[in-house]
Amino acid sequence: MTEDLGDIRAIRIEDEMRVSYLDYAMSVIVARALPDVRDGLKPVHRRILYTMGEMGLSATSSYRKCAAIVGEVMGKYHPHGDVALYDALVRLAQSFSMRYPLVDGQGNFGSVDGDSAAAMRYTEARLTGIAAELLGDIDRNTVDFVDNYDGTQKEPSVLPAKLPNLLINGSAGIAVGMATNIPPHHLGEVCDATIALVDDPDLTTDDLAQYILGPDFPTGGTIYRFESRRNQFTGEWETVDAIRDMYAHGRGRVVIRAQVAFEETRADRMAIIVSELPYQVNKAALLEKIAELVKDKRIEGIADLRDESDRDGMRIYIEVKRDVNPHKVLNNLFKHTPMQLAFNMNMLALVDGQPQTLPLKAVLQHYVDYRRDVIRRRTEFDLEKARARAHILEGLKIALDHLDAVIKTIRESADVENARTNLMSRFDLSEAQAQAILDMRLARLAALERKKIEDEYLEVIQQIAELEDILANPGRVLGIIKDELTELKRKYAGERRTRVVDDASREMTDEDLIADEDVVVTISGRGYIKRQPVGTYRRQHRGGKGIIGHVTREEDAVEHLLVANTHDWALFFTNRGRVFSTKVHQIPDASRQAKGIPIINLPGIQVEAREVPMATITLPNFEPGHFVVMATRRGTIKKTPLEAFERVRSTGILAITINEDDELAWVDISSGDDDVIIATAEGMLARFAEDEVRPMGRVAAGVIGIRLLKKEGDSVVAMSVVEPEADLLVLTETGYGKRVALTEFRRKHRGGQGVRLIALEGRKTGSVAAVQQVTEVDEELLLISAGGQVIRTETNTINRYGSGARGVIVMRLEEGDRVVGIAAFRAGLAERGAIGDNGDPDGAGTPGGDGSTPAR
């Protein structure tokens, strides 16, 4: 209840608090914390940029002290604390805060470690080139100007903003009862989406998301598009496209991870190398967090931690202990540190002075509508100016056409005022035209100068017609918007920094861009892998030395060699009986001199400590009716349906249960009714029917395939499914070899010691190193030594001998080197195969694994 007491009024305190708080809240919302949807700026940033433009601090001018800039802004437009003003200026210059910095700073402007900028008296700044696009045309009546805080100056209520700044640089702020958190985006993608919306206003947010893949943070990192969420109605877990869901509603979250790689250290350990961090993560605080977790034993297995960042980029070095799986350490780092975090987007901005949460399409539509208004006002300004100039030129032309009469009129006039009046009345001129004639210099009376006036008049008339056509045709305005966006993309877009993975919505995948070709894959004993085109190796005759195909480190021998297609699947079977999968094209392409990368760096490969990939098979698909046949060093054999390995987790799945004194070493593909052969290091071979081995589940341990001789060092060196009409190519460690007809070895029951395959002669031949099934039809061989020496030759250059013969020199080796592998292939065809590395029995081209791993 209000009672009037003269100058004093009684007011309910709750009413006064409500009104005052609402006034305060709206002041914070409109004048401090939230950006405008049109230029994407808060008032403080807008005032800083406008003041710097007024000071002439363009991208090509000299730098000015930040203290001078802050003082100018504070004195004219922003009467708040200089510290807050300087902080806002600093953020506009930080390349790790702004995707496209608007201020070019000189001096210490802080770092990703959380270091603060130097005092404003030490630093200098000017505008960047892209900031000029926000201020462009501001002097052409494109925006409204309002009084400053004390009414002594005029400031723009919004900038013309040729850039879609709200999206490309994002914004964050906390108002009263609401907050905004808009991520930065790639300029090229935003321009493409806006142009598409101009062309088709009926596009949906999903359509626009085809152009904007997701946020593009200045610090890089990796965004995961898909996220598992529990349905609030059914309670079931479902996979959601987090990015499209976020854009559709104007709010949501995406998960960002640091960009990491694995590196082998000199101490034979693995190191996790962090090259990019999620947006707004403090690197120094992250290192402290990791050290604290290690000290508290919440993360175990880290041996060393240091920051190796320099001017070339970020590099955090995390060394893992020798017996620890680096993937487990990395997963713990993602779980317990800001190396993985969720970015919660809330696209809240001011629309006509009111805060609104906007989906992606609404943001772009508001920008297009605003630019349409800016271009209209700019065109009207230019048209008014052109018309004014044409009016003056028309008066000058009248004066030139009646030059003697004009001169006489002026000479007969008593003063300037009388002369102006006389000209206006005698020649029907306006006051502006008469004044222009009076101001005209005598030099303009020359014939050439008179021609210039006439030409200028024609040019202005054409300009007026062009501007009037733009105003009369809305389609031309939209065309100007598109042209400006195309030019902005060309000048400033650059490359995307943040990767977006699992983008299943795109019709074309990265794999579609991979050439369909045969490649040679080599793997060293220390787990370094690479691929090369088959054409890298030219053909040679038997007995050649070959070329270096794989540069090895000291005490690191090449142990796996296979020929595959870039679009094949590669299944890696480890000594402990687990299997991992990846695509062949994801194996890095490297030169002959390169050693490759650690196999642990391949997608989907997370091996445990003391676990080594031993056998590899490649296949185009997981066709039902086929089996994976596996053999261990100690002679155990097993087969499992191929489709059991179609979906392999990144942590691997179990393929066979292995005894402690044994290891899985050989894998092949069968059709279910083939023969199987197993060869040993002591030159014995067993052949038996595959149906003697029943199909088993993945966790089964298998049955006895061959019994080893009781000699030290004897073990299985090869296993394969028999191919019709094939020969066996046998190579010893010293390079002796031969072909033997498979018909010499008749089928027996599994579990025996086998029959003699090759005559061994101690040091002269060494043990059997590799056994390969070959044919003479267009087939070629790649032979590789532990030292990385590779020879490519045709099968028919190696002669046939009986099972009791030693053979001849097939590959001449350097002193101390030894043969480790063979791969057979048909040049230009997909049909490839090796013993333990066998092709698809139906000729579909599914080569197997290493096919040549020697006993260790």
Side-chain angles (χ1 to χ4, degrees), residues 31 83 228 281 326 335 346 392 433 509 618 669 674 739 798 844:
V83 175
S228 294
V281 169
K335 181 178 180 180
N346 185 18
I392 296 297
Q433 288 174 324
T509 64
T618 58
I669 303 293
D674 299 309
R739 279 192 295 149
I798 303 174

Side-chain angles (χ1 to χ4, degrees), residues 542-617:
R542 173 183 64 79
K545 296 187 67 174
I547 62 174
I548 296 298
H550 189 113
V551 176
T552 58
R553 290 183 48 181
E554 188 177 351
E555 301 179 355
D556 184 17
V558 174
E559 294 197 2
H560 302 255
L561 174 74
L562 63 148
V563 178
N565 187 273
T566 48
H567 288 265
D568 285 347
W569 282 98
L571 297 181
F572 298 90
F573 293 80
T574 73
N575 57 330
R576 301 315 306 156
R578 293 203 302 155
V579 61
F580 302 86
S581 71
T582 190
K583 282 285 193 175
V584 170
H585 65 76
Q586 292 181 309
I587 299 170
D589 191 4
S591 67
R592 290 190 298 108
Q593 293 75 24
K595 66 181 181 180
I597 66 167
I599 198 171
I600 198 173
N601 270 339
L602 292 179
I605 311 294
Q606 296 187 19
V607 296
E608 301 278 357
R610 296 186 298 277
E611 188 176 18
V612 181
M614 295 292 290
T616 304
I617 59 173

Side-chain angles (χ1 to χ4, degrees), residues 455-495:
D455 292 342
E456 183 184 357
Y457 179 70
L458 291 176
E459 183 179 336
V460 171
I461 292 299
Q462 292 174 356
Q463 182 185 5
I464 291 172
E466 176 76 7
L467 295 172
E468 288 176 339
D469 186 63
I470 291 175
L471 291 175
N473 189 349
R476 292 204 60 186
V477 175
L478 294 177
I480 293 172
I481 294 175
K482 290 164 58 177
D483 292 342
E484 290 177 347
L485 289 171
T486 302
E487 180 63 14
L488 288 172
K489 176 183 175 181
R490 184 191 67 81
K491 290 173 65 175
Y492 303 111
E495 296 294 326

Side-chain angles (χ1 to χ4, degrees), residues 58-76:
S58 68
T60 56
S61 72
S62 58
Y63 293 90
R64 286 284 301 275
K65 287 288 186 183
C66 289
I69 298 172
V70 170
E72 191 82 1
V73 176
M74 186 167 56
K76 288 184 176 181

